Amino acid sequence: MSLPSDKGPSDKGDTAGLSAADYDAFCRFLRERTGLSFTEAKRYFVDRRVSERMAAVGVEHFRQYLNLLRYQASGEELQLLVNRMTVNETYFFREMYQLDCLVNAALDEVVSGREPGSRVRIWSAGCATGEEPYSIAITLLERWSRVDEFEIELYASDIDSHVLERAQEGIYEERSLQAMPRDLVAKYFTRLDDQRWQIMEELRDSIDFSLVNIADPRQMANFRGMDVIFCRNLLIYFDDLGRREAASMFYDALSPCGFICLGHSESMSRMSSLFVPRRFPDAILYQKPQS
Ligand SMILES: C[S@@+](CC[C@H](N)C(=O)[O-])C[C@H]1O[C@@H](n2cnc3c(N)ncnc32)[C@H](O)[C@@H]1O
């Protein structure tokens, strides 16, 4: 998975919309607010999206638009722009080896010593259109032998309000479902028409979806006592400092001995020394030490 290369004819030098100075100012602003870090190589991608939003709100000069993003009390335009700047690609049962690891080993470790009936909290941070948290839910129901013994709380969040709405609606096309066994599709989804399936209501209701920017310490402070955090294929869009800051906020959000799962191309060891890499037969997870 990668950012759309979206290279255009004017990747070098000023583009029609943004001067070099404006591009720098915009990237610094976006990095500060969202953690998303865009280099020169993404200039055409960024420029196109900013120009589209400027046209949509009828603002002619970039500095005026930047002021709107900075100071609009409702934050509405910033949200609309952020929705255009994120990469939301995902699908069901992506990086399945980690879900295998969750039900084959990690969760048994998490609950060891806990009373039946106690809470287990799992958070998909950067859930995009919902395939990841629903895959977690289905894998637990199908394959974790102790699923009925504990009070499982599933949280899912994203910075993009549009994808969160789609996640809550739970309607998917074949492309999203490709990696999922057909018997599970038949069991957990209702066919709406030739192209679309909707995930069953019980699953939609079982996940607590919310709008959360993982680069915002105040929003992150609402998440505590998590046993497992999935933050996959999101931190690749952050710079080194942003990744370190996010790692430290995830550390605070986890219970002692809790686990964090990253995408296959990501390594916590390169981001932060707060976690201990744990090599399980199916996957490497990163664990918050006991103390
Ligand atoms: C490529 S998707 C990954 C989806 C899923 N985790 C997976 O691995 O398939 C990355 C998601 O991260 C979200 N994202 C980007 N920056 C974020 C931020 N600062 N806070 C929360 N979510 C963010 C994007 O909106 C996008 O939906």
Side-chain angles (χ1 to χ4, degrees):
M1 207 262 340
S2 59
L3 265 175
S5 69
D6 223 354
K7 285 193 178 205
S10 40
D11 265 0
K12 294 198 170 64
D14 291 355
T15 51
L18 296 186
S19 69
D22 288 347
Y23 183 72
D24 273 4
F26 176 74
C27 290
R28 263 186 281 118
F29 168 77
L30 198 73
R31 156 70 183 77
E32 189 189 297
R33 292 297 179 95
T34 66
L36 295 169
S37 172
F38 290 99
T39 59
E40 191 57 31
K42 296 292 170 222
R43 182 133 175 207
Y44 186 71
F45 170 88
V46 170
D47 189 62
R48 256 213 340 227
R49 277 142 189 85
V50 171
S51 307
E52 274 166 22
R53 287 306 315 158
M54 285 173 61
V57 289
V59 169
E60 215 177 305
H61 301 291
F62 171 73
R63 292 287 159 165
Q64 234 180 314
Y65 183 64
L66 191 57
N67 283 339
L68 176 69
L69 294 175
R70 265 191 216 288
Y71 303 117
Q72 186 185 41
S74 67
E76 191 188 347
E77 181 52 30
L78 179 58
Q79 182 67 60
L80 289 170
L81 180 78
V82 166
N83 290 358
R84 297 289 291 123
M85 302 301 299
T86 52
V87 176
N88 310 118
E89 189 193 319
T90 185
Y91 50 89
F92 278 87
F93 284 20
R94 183 182 198 183
E95 292 166 345
M96 192 60 203
Y97 60 94
Q98 262 175 358
L99 301 183
D100 292 338
C101 181
L102 187 71
V103 290
N104 291 339
L107 280 178
D108 289 335
E109 226 184 86
V110 160
V111 300
S112 82
R114 287 194 195 172
E115 293 292 313
S118 57
R119 278 193 308 222
V120 173
R121 293 180 152 175
I122 303 174
W123 176 21
S124 161
C127 68
T129 32
E131 287 89 332
E132 181 174 272
Y134 289 131
S135 299
I136 296 170
I138 292 172
T139 306
L140 259 55
L141 288 170
E142 290 291 316
R143 295 183 38 211
W144 190 40
S145 56
R146 306 189 67 185
V147 70
D148 291 329
E149 284 178 50
F150 296 91
E151 197 64 47
I152 296 170
E153 294 178 357
L154 288 178
Y155 298 88
S157 62
D158 204 280
I159 196 174
D160 181 332
S161 57
H162 180 57
V163 292
L164 270 180
E165 278 165 26
R166 288 178 50 199
Q168 283 168 297
E169 201 176 44
I171 297 176
Y172 299 98
E173 295 189 0
E174 191 55 43
R175 197 170 52 88
S176 277
L177 296 166
Q178 260 169 22
M180 198 165 160
R182 296 324 289 182
D183 59 325
L184 294 184
V185 175
K187 184 167 172 185
Y188 291 102
F189 292 77
T190 307
R191 189 162 206 150
L192 297 181
D193 54 39
D194 276 358
Q195 275 156 30
R196 298 174 317 141
W197 299 79
Q198 185 166 34
I199 197 151
M200 62 199 279
E201 196 178 349
E202 287 92 322
L203 282 187
R204 279 183 269 142
D205 292 346
S206 71
I207 296 173
D208 182 336
F209 287 99
S210 57
L211 190 66
V212 177
N213 172 5
I214 68 153
D216 181 339
R218 275 172 313 164
Q219 295 179 32
M220 291 294 277
N222 295 325
F223 289 81
R224 289 293 179 266
M226 294 293 149
D227 294 302
V228 184
I229 299 175
F230 284 78
C231 182
R232 305 191 298 180
N233 307 303
L234 187 173
L235 295 174
I236 41 178
Y237 304 112
F238 282 27
D239 60 19
D240 287 345
L241 176 62
R243 286 187 197 117
R244 267 204 306 283
E245 287 169 350
S248 147
M249 289 189 269
F250 283 133
Y251 181 92
D252 292 339
L254 275 171
S255 305
C257 300
F259 292 104
I260 182 157
C261 306
L262 301 177
H264 76 279
S265 65
E266 303 167 281
S267 159
M268 183 57 86
S269 314
R270 287 202 294 270
M271 295 178 200
S272 157
S273 54
L274 289 168
F275 297 88
V276 179
R278 288 286 312 279
R279 202 174 284 274
F280 290 98
D282 299 303
I284 297 175
L285 309 187
Y286 297 90
Q287 188 167 35
K288 174 172 173 169
Q290 175 68 49
S291 56

